[in-house]
Amino acid sequence: MIALDPRTTVVAGDWHGNTPWAAAAISHAGMSGARTILHLGDYGFTFEARFVDAVEQALSVHDMQLLFVRGNHDDTGYLEKLDRDREGCGIVSPRVRHLRDGLRLALGDEIAVALGGAASIDRSGRLAGVSWWPDEITSQAAIEQALADGPAQIVMAHDCPAGVDLALDPRFGAYFEDKDPGVLDYCEENRLRLWGVATELRPRLWLHGHYHRLSTGSIDQDDGRETAVIGLDCDGTSMERNLVWLEQTT
């Protein structure tokens, strides 16, 4: 199992293959003492060579590594073809690894599970296999595996479970529902799947991206405990909204 020091680990929201932003975010984290970035998906989009090379170079300057979960805007075909290391991670470059859905990490004394995937509300305006991938949502097999592997204190996901108020503008959803009837149910299906994970695993913390906003929420568990839910903002906003130190989430 991969073991990380939470004191030198930074969590990042969506970068969308944005090379200048990625390089700046890595530099910002590295100059503050980070050695690992845990990225919550929508990381590399189509993984163009310019982006992959620039990230590798920026990480090498600060002797860092980056581990990412799969977002809905990460090319699943590319990820499936990657060579894997002994932990089962996909090797993008020497310092960058893809955390397959269900893979677990040790973060200090806690266990974290990676659970990528989400639904694209704008799928009707994208091209299958090029800018939208039909297998984008979190698979039922990955969910079953995550549950079968036992307790975890942290979930590193791209999507947010159902039941957490994201305070989204209803006009945004209505616009895409009008263009693609049923897309809101499609999006909610993924969130409901993740709600099942959250209520069965009962982690103390759920981290996600996807919604392009910094947000906090919670899930009340039936045993009286609470799962804190933190969503991170995306590229083009600010480092304070896009990055958070793992220790600050406790």
Side-chain angles (χ1 to χ4, degrees):
M1 183 182 294
I2 299 170
L4 301 177
D5 185 345
R7 297 171 299 179
T8 57
T9 300
V10 166
V11 183
D14 307 28
W15 289 353
H16 303 112
N18 182 333
T19 300
W21 182 269
I26 292 166
S27 178
H28 179 84
M31 291 178 66
S32 300
R35 289 297 171 264
T36 300
I37 294 177
L38 288 177
H39 197 285
L40 300 176
D42 280 10
Y43 164 66
F45 192 39
T46 55
F47 296 87
E48 295 181 3
R50 176 173 176 265
F51 174 78
V52 172
D53 293 345
V55 167
E56 178 66 24
Q57 175 60 31
L59 291 169
S60 69
V61 169
H62 298 283
D63 192 21
M64 294 171 65
Q65 64 176 337
L66 186 147
L67 309 172
F68 69 97
V69 303
R70 176 180 62 88
N72 57 308
H73 296 321
D74 285 315
D75 183 345
T76 55
Y78 172 89
L79 297 178
E80 288 169 1
K81 293 176 183 176
L82 292 173
D83 292 334
R84 296 193 177 275
D85 64 16
R86 64 183 182 181
E87 302 290 347
C89 299
I91 303 170
V92 175
S93 64
R95 295 176 180 270
V96 179
R97 298 288 192 275
H98 166 233
L99 300 173
R100 59 177 172 78
D101 295 350
L103 191 143
R104 292 181 172 227
L105 310 175
L107 294 173
D109 296 329
E110 296 187 304
I111 299 299
V113 59
L115 207 56
S120 296
I121 197 170
D122 61 349
R123 64 183 179 178
S124 64
R126 293 177 176 270
L127 185 61
V130 177
S131 56
W132 175 70
W133 293 274
D135 55 350
E136 64 179 2
I137 66 172
T138 310
S139 73
Q140 191 60 40
I143 288 172
E144 291 172 1
Q145 187 65 58
L147 297 178
D149 287 342
Q153 291 73 49
I154 300 172
V155 175
M156 304 173 299
H158 186 57
D159 204 358
C160 176
V164 178
D165 184 11
L166 295 168
L168 301 176
D169 187 339
R171 294 173 296 181
F172 182 79
Y175 171 80
F176 286 104
E177 180 70 16
D178 184 62
K179 293 171 68 69
D180 182 9
V183 73
L184 292 182
D185 285 343
Y186 170 64
C187 294
E188 186 66 8
E189 176 188 351
N190 201 71
R191 294 192 65 193
L192 286 168
R193 288 184 178 190
L194 298 182
W195 179 84
V197 174
T199 55
E200 186 161 339
L201 281 187
R202 299 173 183 172
R204 73 161 182 87
L205 176 65
W206 188 290
L207 298 164
H208 71 90
H210 188 47
Y211 295 95
H212 302 176
R213 58 173 55 203
L214 182 64
S215 63
T216 58
S218 63
I219 298 172
D220 294 326
Q221 303 290 359
D222 59 12
D223 62 357
R225 290 183 293 175
E226 182 178 271
T227 296
V229 180
I230 298 176
L232 294 182
D233 214 330
C234 65
D235 57 309
T237 56
S238 70
M239 296 301 167
E240 291 73 23
R241 299 181 68 84
N242 183 236
L243 304 173
V244 63
W245 285 86
L246 186 61
E247 281 205 319
Q248 294 178 355
T249 66
T250 58

